[in-house]
Amino acid sequence: MIVINGESITESNLSNLEGLEKTIFQRLFNDSEVYSYDSIEELRFEIALRNNIVASAALMEQGEARFETFAGTQCNPAYWKLTDVGGILIREDVNPSDAIADIFKNSQLYAFECATAILILYYHAILNTIGPKLFNEYFQDLYLYSWHFDSDLVMQSVYTYYTIPGDVVYFKNPDFNPLTYWWRGENAVVMGDDLYFGHGLGIKDASYIIEFLNGTRKPGGTKPAYLSDYVARPSFTHLAKLSSSPNRRTKHQHPVIIHRKNSISLDRYLFYLYRSYLPNQ
């Protein structure tokens, strides 16, 4: 259900949408949850950003960036510095917009794990939605490492099986092999039509991802992999307000996390996700 200024809208309010953007609108409209906006422009912003997240995922899938654990992380030294823990820290003498764009332009120079891939997709999609000027103003000092995100990338978390293109879901592999602990699960972007993008796997349907993860179980493991009901998404309304009110910019010292109805603690989830990369689990 979509509510703008306290009033629900009809499908005719955005009848000019086509393709994936129309699908995104219909999924928002048909959801039993309430999606509230201050203006029709905020709704249009969310639809555009979700569409760009899917487009960025498709572009990454076409590129040559490789899946690697933190120990094998690689980056282009012309834009980034590699940290001791496998993080990718932006150089002080480059624009954030150019550094993010380079990951897709010179993808053969990069390697990272799946959570880092999701953040890169978010930043790339936001850049393509708000433009380089605002992106460079808001997203300085970028650090690409697992789920460490810029304070202006406010995140939401929710338990639901009702997903919308641009959402990020998690396929869990409970009987993962400790020797290949990086396949404990897979973060994946909802592309639509039961297709998901997971870095290292490409764009696949749910059954393929589950079958792949089942093939990485520990010897004797019998618990099947499954698509969990955890969904992560950025706060689209927060980002819309940043793009429309650049003079009211506020910087938070720590990442902000919004919890909706039926939501879980994202920071707690990320803690468990971080632990999942440790081989002695």
Side-chain angles (χ1 to χ4, degrees), residues 9 15 47 104 129 165 190 249 276:
I9 68 171
S15 58
I47 293 172
F104 294 82
T129 305
V190 177
R249 178 175 187 252
S276 75

Side-chain angles (χ1 to χ4, degrees), residues 24-257:
I24 293 169
F25 171 73
Q26 290 176 334
R27 292 293 288 174
L28 291 167
F29 184 83
N30 294 330
D31 195 352
S32 60
E33 290 291 321
V34 176
Y35 296 86
S36 181
Y37 308 89
D38 290 337
S39 66
I40 194 72
E41 287 74 23
E42 283 190 5
L43 171 58
R44 288 186 179 277
F45 181 92
E46 173 166 345
I47 293 172
L49 181 49
R50 284 182 175 276
N51 185 70
N52 283 336
I53 291 172
V54 172
S56 294
L59 188 61
M60 182 175 286
E61 195 269 346
Q62 297 169 8
E64 300 178 51
R66 301 177 305 284
F67 174 86
E68 271 289 353
T69 62
F70 293 116
T73 298
Q74 296 181 17
C75 59
N76 185 353
Y79 292 91
W80 305 92
K81 294 181 287 186
L82 187 62
T83 69
D84 293 339
V85 295
I88 302 174
L89 179 65
I90 192 170
R91 289 171 54 108
E92 296 178 356
D93 58 342
V94 301
N95 289 322
S97 59
D98 295 333
I100 290 295
D102 185 72
I103 300 175
F104 294 82
K105 181 180 179 180
N106 293 303
S107 59
Q108 73 279 4
L109 301 178
Y110 293 85
F112 37 77
E113 48 76 57
C114 65
T116 302
I118 298 300
L119 287 187
I120 292 170
L121 295 178
Y122 281 155
Y123 289 133
H124 188 254
I126 294 169
L127 168 61
N128 288 336
T129 305
I130 69 176
K133 182 179 179 180
L134 282 180
F135 187 87
N136 291 335
E137 178 181 352
Y138 288 115
F139 296 96
Q140 304 169 12
D141 305 320
L142 291 178
Y143 182 49
L144 309 177
Y145 178 69
S146 186
W147 281 99
H148 290 255
F149 46 86
D150 184 276
S151 60
D152 277 316
L153 182 58
V154 177
M155 294 295 298
Q156 295 177 328
S157 60
V158 64
Y159 271 129
T160 182
Y161 285 112
Y162 189 95
T163 58
I164 303 164
D167 281 343
V168 172
V169 297
Y170 187 66
F171 289 84
K172 188 172 183 179
N173 186 13
D175 269 354
F176 71 98
N177 190 329
L179 296 179
T180 55
Y181 57 90
W182 46 88
W183 292 122
R184 180 188 184 107
E186 179 75 2
N187 296 288
V189 176
V190 177
M191 306 292 284
D193 297 326
D194 191 39
L195 292 176
Y196 304 84
F197 169 74
H199 182 53
L201 296 181
I203 299 175
K204 305 294 182 181
D205 60 25
S207 60
Y208 177 95
I209 297 175
I210 290 171
E211 182 179 357
F212 176 88
L213 291 175
N214 284 340
T216 66
R217 285 182 292 196
K218 62 185 178 183
T222 58
K223 296 178 182 178
Y226 62 92
L227 174 60
S228 74
D229 58 354
Y230 177 82
V231 175
R233 54 180 66 132
S235 173
F236 297 99
T237 55
H238 170 77
L239 291 168
K241 286 178 171 59
L242 290 185
S243 67
S244 62
S245 304
N247 293 329
R248 296 190 303 174
R249 178 175 187 252
T250 58
K251 245 330 188 183
H252 310 287
Q253 286 194 325
H254 302 287
V256 177
I257 303 161

